[in-house]
Amino acid sequence: MPKKIRILSLDGGGIRGIISCVILKYIEEQLQKLDHPDAKLGDYFDLVAGSSTGGILAALVLYPDNSKRSKFSVETALDLYAKKGDTIFNVSFWNQVLNPFGLFNEKISQKSLEKQLSEVFGTLELKDLVKPCLITSYDINSRKAKFFCSHEADSPLENFYVKDVCRATSAAPTYFEPAKIKSLYQQEFTLIDGGVYANNPALCAYAEARKIAFSKELNDPEKIDYPSVNDMIIISIGTGQVLKPYSFKEFENAGKIKWISPLIDILLTANAETVDYLLTKMYETLGPRNQKNYYRIMPDLKNASPEMDDTTRKNIFELIQAGLLYVDENRESLDEIAKKLVKHK
């Protein structure tokens, strides 16, 4: 029987990506029990997609070791977020005074982020990631979506340094400046966070998978080329449910400035919900058996802050606890995912 194509999709959400790491860490631990004690998550997916913080996670799990397998465990990614998050999202005292709430320029300096990305990824190129990936960004100059795909990066026109890809996908408006980066062909792009159109990139991942000859890309004749929805297992992981209510009275005479933060919150949440709705309906057409091959994991934030840049020790603790609670309450489903990933390895 042909092996299904296993797709991992990772939402954006800034420091809330810690929740995704906690859940992925549990899945990786089950893979180690079921298949190999040194199993790495990246070796059990055929395509990994990510937006913003999810794009950085995608690059981390697909980082190659000397044998062209995944180098980093999920715990490594979790350590990066938990230990360096306060550095990446640091806002100086004077910047808070001179630039309250990011109204006059970007809320956070990009220098810390760029330094950390450079330290982690160095001169690693997109084409060298161990599996096909799709990392989202948006070109504000040409006004169109920009997808970074490792399986299309053999040409210098489509190849980039991974540190630049991560800088582009995480350039969230009002948080970081746009990323001005160049391909290895020296073509310049001005890019912002892919979350502006695909904070949940699962549907983009599905569309990309449809055009990939996986048997060739993965050097595995048992993998299906140009798969249909019936041939895919999609695991889509969110960074915490944000459902803050907004009343009519609060916004009946609101101007542009008052709408900025709520509008960003609403657009990101609605985007993710719409993608989940569409994929759920697509898988429902397959019947009771195969519709179970789509998993949308969206934990409750519980006591954690919905803010993408809250890197206080208390909030990082609460994000970890929110992820652990989801794991505790959904072990059966997560164990099922791990078994399917091994079965179709």
Side-chain angles (χ1 to χ4, degrees):
M1 187 176 83
K3 299 176 185 175
K4 289 188 182 293
I5 302 303
R6 303 157 300 173
I7 297 173
L8 175 62
S9 174
L10 300 166
D11 282 21
I15 198 66
R16 298 199 328 251
I18 285 175
I19 294 179
S20 303
C21 289
V22 171
I23 294 166
L24 291 172
K25 182 175 182 289
Y26 177 81
I27 294 174
E28 187 175 72
E29 289 169 349
Q30 302 318 299
L31 295 173
Q32 291 166 354
K33 292 177 182 178
L34 290 168
D35 197 38
H36 192 280
D38 194 36
K40 303 288 196 307
L41 189 81
D43 293 324
Y44 291 79
F45 285 97
D46 305 308
L47 172 66
V48 181
S51 286
S52 194
T53 196
I56 297 175
L57 283 177
L60 282 169
V61 301
L62 296 179
Y63 193 110
D65 64 12
N66 292 332
S67 59
K68 300 296 183 182
R69 297 179 68 82
S70 293
K71 179 177 181 177
F72 295 135
S73 67
V74 175
E75 188 163 357
T76 302
L78 182 56
D79 285 346
L80 175 69
Y81 277 73
K83 293 178 181 177
K84 295 188 177 182
D86 59 340
T87 303
I88 292 172
F89 294 100
N90 179 57
V91 183
S92 72
F93 170 77
W94 283 110
N95 192 48
Q96 291 183 53
V97 173
L98 298 172
N99 180 35
F101 313 109
L103 292 180
F104 305 112
N105 54 47
E106 283 69 25
K107 192 175 179 182
I108 305 169
S109 167
Q110 72 276 9
K111 291 179 181 178
S112 293
L113 174 62
E114 290 172 355
K115 181 175 181 289
Q116 299 296 346
L117 292 175
S118 184
E119 287 180 4
V120 172
F121 295 107
T123 58
L124 179 68
E125 297 177 17
L126 183 63
K127 68 179 178 61
D128 294 323
L129 295 180
V130 297
K131 296 283 183 69
C133 76
L134 179 141
I135 297 176
T136 67
S137 190
Y138 187 80
D139 189 326
I140 60 173
N141 188 32
S142 62
R143 293 299 301 271
K144 64 180 182 181
K146 175 65 180 174
F147 298 106
F148 296 101
C149 300
S150 57
H151 48 284
E152 295 179 347
D154 287 336
S155 163
L157 281 167
E158 296 297 333
N159 196 18
F160 295 79
Y161 289 119
V162 173
K163 63 182 179 181
D164 292 338
V165 172
C166 292
R167 172 69 179 90
T169 193
S170 59
T174 76
Y175 286 90
F176 294 109
E177 287 183 1
K180 184 177 281 189
I181 68 170
K182 293 180 180 179
S183 70
L184 268 67
Y185 197 71
Q186 297 304 302
Q187 182 179 5
E188 190 173 84
F189 297 85
T190 302
L191 304 168
I192 62 171
D193 190 334
V196 297
Y197 66 91
N199 202 50
N200 173 356
L203 200 57
C204 295
Y206 159 78
E208 188 65 27
R210 293 280 288 124
K211 64 179 190 178
I212 298 176
F214 281 98
S215 64
K216 179 182 176 182
E217 288 292 335
L218 304 175
N219 195 26
D220 184 350
E222 293 185 59
K223 287 293 181 180
I224 297 170
D225 293 336
Y226 317 113
S228 67
V229 65
N230 193 44
D231 305 314
M232 301 180 198
I233 299 170
I234 298 179
I235 317 299
S236 174
I237 302 183
T239 57
Q241 190 100 347
V242 181
L243 294 175
K244 180 181 177 181
Y246 299 103
S247 67
F248 172 77
K249 185 176 181 180
E250 188 179 1
F251 286 93
E252 62 178 320
N253 293 308
K256 292 180 181 179
I257 290 179
K258 189 171 183 179
W259 265 110
I260 290 174
S261 292
L263 191 58
I264 292 173
D265 172 23
I266 291 166
L267 288 175
L268 294 180
T269 302
N271 167 294
E273 291 172 347
T274 301
V275 169
D276 178 39
Y277 172 81
L278 293 171
L279 282 170
T280 297
K281 293 302 177 184
M282 287 167 61
Y283 272 84
E284 283 178 357
T285 66
L286 304 178
R289 183 177 178 182
N290 282 317
Q291 75 181 61
K292 294 181 180 179
N293 286 328
Y294 168 63
Y295 297 84
R296 175 60 175 167
I297 296 172
M298 179 56 92
D300 193 311
L301 283 171
K302 298 299 180 183
N303 296 320
S305 168
E307 299 300 324
M308 295 190 291
D309 61 340
D310 186 345
T311 58
T312 59
R313 184 171 296 183
K314 178 183 183 299
N315 192 53
I316 287 176
F317 172 80
E318 294 294 355
L319 288 167
I320 293 171
Q321 292 304 306
L324 290 173
L325 181 62
Y326 183 89
V327 167
D328 188 48
E329 294 178 345
N330 295 274
R331 290 186 189 181
E332 186 176 338
S333 177
L334 296 175
D335 290 349
E336 183 180 279
I337 289 172
K339 289 175 183 176
K340 287 185 178 181
L341 293 177
V342 172
K343 179 180 178 182
H344 295 279
K345 182 181 174 184

